[in-house]
């Protein structure tokens, strides 16, 4: 499995050992850490303060609306990928801006969308022509494809990959754009990064300048999408701020960023316990009460090995015991990863996975009839609040 370098195998936790912090929770359980969300929020707000850029929460990564009021002071609003996220942003962070991008809007949803959204970004000139005239009073944008891939190995997360359906290339713009349609447009939008540092933004901006630099001075804003790993420890904030300053100066436009991951990076945990330990040849396999397939689907989809407290991913002298950690479903590939421990695992042992806020609670499922883990908020003073009460109904009601 591919490993994501920036995810440390140990996460420094304020206030004590994970076992002491999490042992009282029924497992499996997700815990969202408010202190970490605030820390991330402060970093994002400092970028806005320094540069004037507006930063939105991309809800597809983290749509845990319980925390929107906590995040609101740090952000300019929300970004949505579909109708329901748009509504959620309006209802739960409503005094702030509500933006939406969708690869294609539906006629039967558009008037409802207009009730919620302030900014609507289209993926094609045809959709802009079709829906733009219906959206009086809204700020309209078009997603562009600067045709500049800056990531390797993650083709499904590269909107600049050959054959991508996301964004208008300059060739298509030249073939389809007319002056009447251009008058509908307030801004351009690009989203081409994924878990990247500011150097990739710098490269992308050069491509945007080369391809669309003549268009931007006539517009009001440029939305630079998500994928900026702004709250990661090694993220280059100075380069980001310089990029924003450069854009504002060169084109005299307002700048938006809409990170998802960066807002809730390292702010979640999945608390699990060992149900059984089975052997196969040289392998010791611990079956947990949480599943990669159901409860951390990006472990399989991305794929990556999540950080786990008290364990390491490569053997060393103090971690000689290797276990494959796996889920309780019937899927052979329901494997979280191989880890090395300082002690032999026992049935009932508590295991705490880190970085489980983003693309996790909003993507999980009840495959195999697995219960959904409940979600808990951990406040800055260490107290827990249970936010959900999932049960059989949450499995059954999706099926009939
Ligand atoms: C996914 C996405 C984002 C958020 O991306 P992150 O990698 O979570 O920062 C923002 N904007 C658009 C259009 C997206 O598709």
């Amino acid at each position: 499995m591919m490993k994501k370098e920036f995810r440390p195998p140990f996460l420094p936790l304020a206030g004590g050992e994970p076992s002491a912090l999490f042992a009282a929770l029924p497992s499996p359980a997700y815990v969202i850490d408010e202190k970490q969300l605030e820390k991330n929020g402060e970093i994002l707000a400092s970028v806005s303060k320094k540069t004037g850029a507006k930063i939105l929460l991309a809800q597809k990564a983290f749509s845990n609306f319980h925390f929107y009021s906590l995040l609101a002071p740090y952000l300019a609003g929300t970004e949505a990928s579909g109708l329901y996220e748009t509504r959620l942003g309006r209802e739960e962070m409503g005094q702030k801006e509500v933006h939406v991008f969708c690869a294609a809007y539906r006629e039967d949803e558009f008037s409802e969308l207009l009730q919620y959204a302030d900014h609507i970004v289209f993926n094609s000139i045809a959709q802009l022509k079709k829906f733009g005239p219906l959206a009086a009073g809204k700020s309209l944008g078009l997603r562009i494809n600067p045709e500049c891939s800056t990531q390797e190995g993650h083709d499904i997360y590269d909107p600049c990959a050959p054959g991508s359906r996301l964004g208008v290339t300059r060739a298509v713009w030249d073939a389809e754009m007319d002056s009447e349609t251009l008058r509908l447009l307030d801004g351009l939008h690009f989203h081409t990064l994924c878990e990247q540092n500011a150097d990739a933004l710098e490269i992308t901006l050069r491509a945007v300048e080369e391809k669309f630099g003549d268009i931007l001075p006539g517009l009001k804003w440029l939305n630079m999408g998500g994928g900026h790993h702004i709250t990661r420890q090694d993220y280059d904030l100075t380069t980001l701020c310089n990029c924003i300053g450069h854009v504002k100066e060169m084109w005299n436009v307002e700048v938006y960023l809409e990170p998802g991951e960066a807002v809730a990076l390292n702010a979640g945990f999945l608390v699990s316990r060992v149900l059984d330990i089975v052997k196969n040849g040289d392998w010791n396999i611990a079956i947990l009460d949480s599943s990669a397939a159901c409860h951390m689907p990006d472990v399989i989809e991305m794929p990556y090995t999540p950080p786990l407290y008290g364990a390491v991913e490569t053997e060393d002298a103090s971690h000689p015991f290797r276990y494959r950690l796996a889920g309780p479903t019937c899927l052979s590939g329901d494997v979280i990863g191989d880890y090395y421990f300082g002690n032999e695992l026992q049935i009932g042992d508590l295991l705490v996975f880190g970085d489980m806020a983003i693309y996790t609670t909003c993507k999980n499922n009840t495959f195999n009839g697995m219960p959904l883990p409940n979600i808990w908020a951990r406040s800055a003073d260490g107290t827990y609040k249970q936010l959900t009460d999932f049960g059989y109904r949450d499995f059954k009601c999706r099926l009939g």
Side-chain angles (χ1 to χ4, degrees):
M1 276 196 197
M2 198 177 317
K3 206 163 55 172
K4 303 215 294 185
E5 296 152 63
F6 57 86
R7 291 174 194 259
F10 294 104
L11 299 171
L13 251 194
E17 282 303 302
S19 55
L21 284 166
F22 297 111
L25 294 177
S27 71
Y30 298 108
V31 176
I32 310 289
D33 190 74
E34 295 185 346
K35 203 147 99 185
Q36 184 63 37
L37 286 178
E38 281 169 358
K39 253 164 89 178
N40 292 344
E42 274 160 24
I43 294 171
L44 296 170
S46 75
V47 171
S48 294
K49 192 163 170 223
K50 208 179 231 165
T51 63
K54 292 185 170 178
I55 303 186
L56 313 166
L57 162 68
Q59 295 175 94
K60 76 167 195 260
F62 185 72
S63 36
N64 299 62
F65 57 90
H66 172 82
F67 304 95
Y68 284 12
S69 57
L70 179 150
L71 290 169
Y74 306 108
L75 299 172
T78 55
E79 189 269 344
S81 305
L83 180 66
Y84 291 165
E85 281 184 0
T86 316
R87 178 174 171 177
L88 193 71
R90 173 57 69 206
E91 290 184 354
E92 301 295 333
M93 215 193 275
Q95 307 85 333
K96 302 269 175 168
E97 293 181 30
V98 173
H99 293 226
V100 58
F101 163 78
C102 197
Y105 295 100
R106 299 169 57 105
E107 256 169 58
D108 60 357
E109 287 181 0
F110 200 73
S111 62
E112 188 183 349
L113 199 78
L114 290 174
Q115 290 175 36
Y116 313 129
D118 303 307
H119 278 226
I120 302 174
V121 177
F122 297 94
N123 190 48
S124 74
I125 293 168
Q127 284 244 313
L128 172 62
K129 281 182 178 166
K130 179 173 175 175
F131 292 109
L134 307 175
K138 306 294 180 183
S139 199
L140 303 185
L142 185 67
R143 179 163 174 171
I144 55 168
N145 177 354
E147 297 173 85
C148 174
S149 290
T150 53
Q151 40 182 322
E152 288 155 29
H154 281 149
D155 258 12
I156 73 161
Y157 297 112
D158 182 8
C160 294
S164 168
R165 73 190 184 294
L166 298 168
V168 172
T169 61
R170 184 63 202 231
V172 168
W173 174 290
D174 287 339
E176 296 182 12
M177 187 54 90
D178 57 68
S179 57
E180 195 186 335
T181 309
L182 185 57
R183 272 199 296 274
L184 292 168
L185 211 56
D186 297 297
L188 293 184
H189 175 288
F190 68 83
H191 169 72
T192 65
L193 308 183
C194 178
E195 303 185 336
Q196 280 166 285
N197 213 318
D199 56 341
L201 174 63
E202 217 173 9
I203 293 165
T204 303
L205 276 174
R206 260 180 251 136
V208 170
E209 182 177 353
E210 188 193 313
K211 297 250 161 63
F212 293 93
D214 58 324
I215 311 291
L216 277 155
L219 298 177
K220 293 186 185 130
W221 50 263
L222 176 65
N223 185 325
M224 309 205 292
H228 315 278
H229 240 186
I230 301 169
T231 53
R232 191 170 99 194
Q233 220 160 31
D234 69 344
Y235 188 86
D236 181 357
L237 290 167
T238 306
T239 298
L240 172 67
C241 292
N242 289 343
C243 282
I244 296 167
H246 182 62
V247 164
K248 291 186 139 214
E249 200 179 284
M250 186 164 45
W251 294 315
N252 192 27
V253 287
E254 182 116 59
V255 171
Y256 287 94
L257 299 172
E258 45 184 33
E261 291 215 5
V263 176
L265 198 68
N266 287 323
F269 307 92
L270 179 54
V271 179
S272 312
R273 282 189 173 78
V274 177
L275 295 179
D276 197 11
I277 295 168
V278 298
K279 287 185 195 299
N280 182 346
D282 286 342
W283 295 94
N284 289 314
I285 306 151
I287 301 176
L288 310 187
D289 59 7
S290 52
S291 153
C294 299
H295 306 144
M296 37 185 128
D298 264 13
V299 164
I300 293 174
E301 201 173 303
M302 184 118 190
Y304 76 103
T305 304
L308 174 68
Y309 283 94
V312 293
E313 284 173 69
T314 40
E315 184 172 13
D316 63 35
S318 50
H319 298 87
F321 300 103
R322 183 183 70 168
Y323 289 86
R324 170 161 291 183
L325 303 185
T329 71
C330 69
L331 177 72
S332 308
D334 190 355
V335 171
I336 299 153
D338 296 337
Y339 296 85
Y340 291 86
F341 293 83
N343 298 300
E344 288 187 52
L345 285 182
Q346 309 291 333
I347 289 170
D349 275 356
L350 184 79
L351 297 175
V352 178
F353 295 95
D355 203 15
M356 284 289 159
I358 50 174
Y359 295 102
T360 305
T361 51
C362 55
K363 277 189 92 169
N364 62 9
N365 63 76
T366 56
F367 179 54
N368 272 220
M370 286 289 140
L372 292 172
N374 277 314
I375 305 172
W376 299 69
R378 187 170 74 194
S379 65
D381 68 7
T383 54
Y384 288 88
K385 183 177 172 198
Q386 187 173 349
L387 304 180
T388 59
D389 189 17
F390 295 128
Y392 178 57
R393 246 178 13 139
D394 298 287
F395 163 66
K396 191 181 173 193
C397 71
R398 294 174 51 192
L399 303 168

